[in-house]
Amino acid sequence: MLALRTITRTTLRASSRPLMAQRASQLLFNSFAVRRPVTTQSTTPEEALEILKRQRSARPVSPHLQIYQPQLTWVLSSFHRITGVALGFAFYGFLIGYAGLPLFGVEFDSNSLMSAFGALPLVAKLSLKFVASLPFTFHFFNGLRHLVWDTARELTLKGVYRTGYAVLGLSAVSSLILTVL
């Protein structure tokens, strides 16, 4: 576009006759311009609404997670939120079950839970303990990581990744320790 303006100005300045300058600039513009065919038609409001609906359905969906390479920062942030919600649901579900199930004749007290857990095979016990302890330990250590950030420490990219890997390691080790205890 800048080249077209420069050519047009040069042509206008070089020409002594205004009509010749107009024709030269039009000629130059027409040779560089991209022409698109445009058609118009009259539509009723219902037809216009249908056209708009078709156009909206053909729009691309926002790419969201498909285009981004997974990074430790947003993966840990997502898991922190997910584990927090899961732990909250588990706590309130257990509380409601502990208080409400006996009203329906279902025994849900410490003795019945211990006897049901004791009847499980060893592999199931260890798996259940690991699955229950991993979200808790991850959320705990990642919460400590956020408290460290609140003191304005470890906020560099290197520090964020270092603390992220530390959270993953501590979570895995502490979950394994809690599993075998």
Side-chain angles (χ1 to χ4, degrees):
M1 198 67 181
L2 184 62
L4 181 62
R5 287 183 194 160
T6 306
I7 293 170
T8 306
R9 286 182 191 152
T10 307
T11 307
L12 286 172
R13 288 182 192 143
S15 174
S16 58
R17 298 182 188 150
L19 185 59
M20 292 277 291
Q22 285 178 353
R23 287 186 182 161
S25 66
Q26 281 178 351
L27 217 123
L28 283 171
F29 180 76
N30 288 340
S31 64
F32 287 109
V34 176
R35 297 187 184 266
R36 296 184 193 142
V38 177
T39 59
T40 59
Q41 64 184 23
S42 298
T43 59
T44 64
E46 292 83 19
E47 292 172 336
L49 187 60
E50 282 301 316
I51 292 170
L52 185 62
K53 285 180 183 178
R54 274 188 275 128
Q55 288 174 348
R56 285 182 179 165
S57 67
R59 286 183 189 161
V61 178
S62 179
H64 192 48
L65 297 176
Q66 291 89 357
I67 66 166
Y68 297 112
Q69 179 183 1
Q71 296 177 346
L72 184 70
T73 52
W74 65 265
V75 170
L76 291 184
S77 176
S78 300
F79 282 135
H80 185 75
R81 292 172 188 224
I82 291 167
T83 56
V85 170
L87 288 170
F89 275 122
F91 174 76
Y92 285 116
F94 185 79
L95 180 69
I96 290 170
Y98 196 77
L101 286 178
L103 297 174
F104 297 106
V106 178
E107 290 197 29
F108 195 74
D109 57 356
S110 300
N111 290 333
S112 62
L113 288 176
M114 285 176 40
S115 63
F117 190 76
L120 294 174
L122 182 63
V123 173
K125 288 180 193 177
L126 294 176
S127 300
L128 191 60
K129 285 172 75 174
F130 185 77
V131 167
S133 66
L134 187 62
F136 178 77
T137 58
F138 172 78
H139 195 75
F140 175 76
F141 287 118
N142 206 38
L144 291 178
R145 177 181 180 217
H146 280 270
L147 289 175
V148 169
W149 288 349
D150 288 343
T151 63
R153 293 187 189 119
E154 298 294 336
L155 291 176
T156 63
L157 191 59
K158 189 176 181 181
V160 168
Y161 273 85
R162 182 175 46 244
T163 57
Y165 288 123
V167 164
L168 289 175
L170 288 170
S171 299
V173 168
S174 61
S175 289
L176 287 173
I177 290 171
L178 288 173
T179 299
V180 296
L181 291 180

